[in-house]
Amino acid sequence: MPELNILTLMRVSTQQRSRIEAVDASVRLTDAGGWFDGEYRATWPDFTAQRYLAPDATGKGSREDRDRLLAEADIILGGWPFPLDLRARAPRLKWFHQRPAGASNLLRGDLWGSDVIVTTSRGSASSLAIAQYALAATLHLANGLNRAAVDREAGRFDSRSYRPILLDGKTVCVVGAGGIGQQVGRLCAALGMRVVGTRRHAAPEQAAPPGFSEIAAAGELDRLLPESDVVAICCQWTPETDRLFDQDRFAVMKPGAILVNVARGEIIDEAALADALGCNHLRGAALDVYVGEFERPPMARLWADPRVLITPHVSGASDQDRHGGIELFCDNLQAWLSGRPMRNVIDWSRGY
């Protein structure tokens, strides 16, 4: 079999490299992790470069060297950021796998809508760590711990303002009960919460995932929200979910509910969220993502609200690397070589 040139734009460990090369004798893996950092700094917003690149990262090789690497690649394994003109510079490219789970990460570049097979790590991207973040954020707001920073700034305690609530027996609605959402539901169920969720297409004949009492179709979300004390957004950002939580949807939510978003900021109409908080309809919100997070700081009105916890997309981080993106890539590589269906192929019309 002819050589299969795989180019990785993200750094891989020796163990990961060996795992990829062991899939088939035809594999020729080239590690170009860090080579394109200078290009990212020049073509992505400054905010993105400051967030995701080391301060002294300038890349490696010449433009001609990098063009040659792309031109010779049959398969590319990428992370974040990535070359925005990747498709134009990689004429032999047949398949691109991105380590992140969100398909919307690729909207900015020329791969979106192209003839290249593109897969993501959906369902394998540090799901447990993200679920732990969602649970921690819920407990933070449920116990009123956000008030501690307010009291410290004021130099005095206002104990009545904490108003803790007991989560045992409360209902959590997981919007997008996929890999991450199912882990969120499992952890919440361990606290004694009733767990319901939605999926784009729910099959009534299928058993609900562990910990869930119900999985409903996406169109039934408004039926679940009035009874939900916590709402955890875990779905993909697509045309169908863009500003899914708008003024009308916040009005449907249960008064005093907690909102947690570990998906993408654009799923929330942030002005509507600020209004819902402004009229005290919601208890608080925890946002690991926000609109324009790769380009600018959060909306000032939300960031200044002590009831809003905003973090810089760190929910997937932990002291253990349990990201399954490489394993998923290797499984898909075996499927691709044998002509079998691959997992997590992006449907451009669907958006993930």
Side-chain angles (χ1 to χ4, degrees), residues 95-103 106 116-125 127 179 199 236 323-325 327-329 331-332 335 341-348 350-352:
W95 168 31
F96 176 88
H97 177 79
Q98 71 145 0
R99 188 174 185 270
L106 298 170
V116 175
I117 296 171
V118 179
T119 56
T120 72
S121 296
R122 177 167 53 90
S124 301
S127 299
R199 299 200 69 167
Q236 294 273 335
H323 197 292
E327 288 72 20
L328 175 60
F329 173 75
D331 290 346
N332 267 344
M342 299 163 66
R343 293 163 54 196
N344 293 0
V345 175
I346 295 179
D347 178 335
W348 303 122
R350 186 180 64 179
Y352 68 96

Side-chain angles (χ1 to χ4, degrees), residues 168-188:
D168 181 51
K170 298 293 195 299
T171 296
V172 56
C173 177
V174 178
V175 183
I180 294 170
Q182 289 183 29
Q183 290 283 15
V184 171
R186 183 177 67 84
L187 295 185
C188 288

Side-chain angles (χ1 to χ4, degrees), residues 105-135:
N105 286 26
L106 298 170
L107 282 168
R108 182 182 288 269
D110 66 354
L111 275 175
W112 192 268
S114 73
D115 58 342
V116 175
I117 296 171
V118 179
T119 56
T120 72
S121 296
R122 177 167 53 90
S124 301
S126 303
S127 299
L128 184 56
I130 297 171
Q132 178 177 293
Y133 173 99
L135 180 60

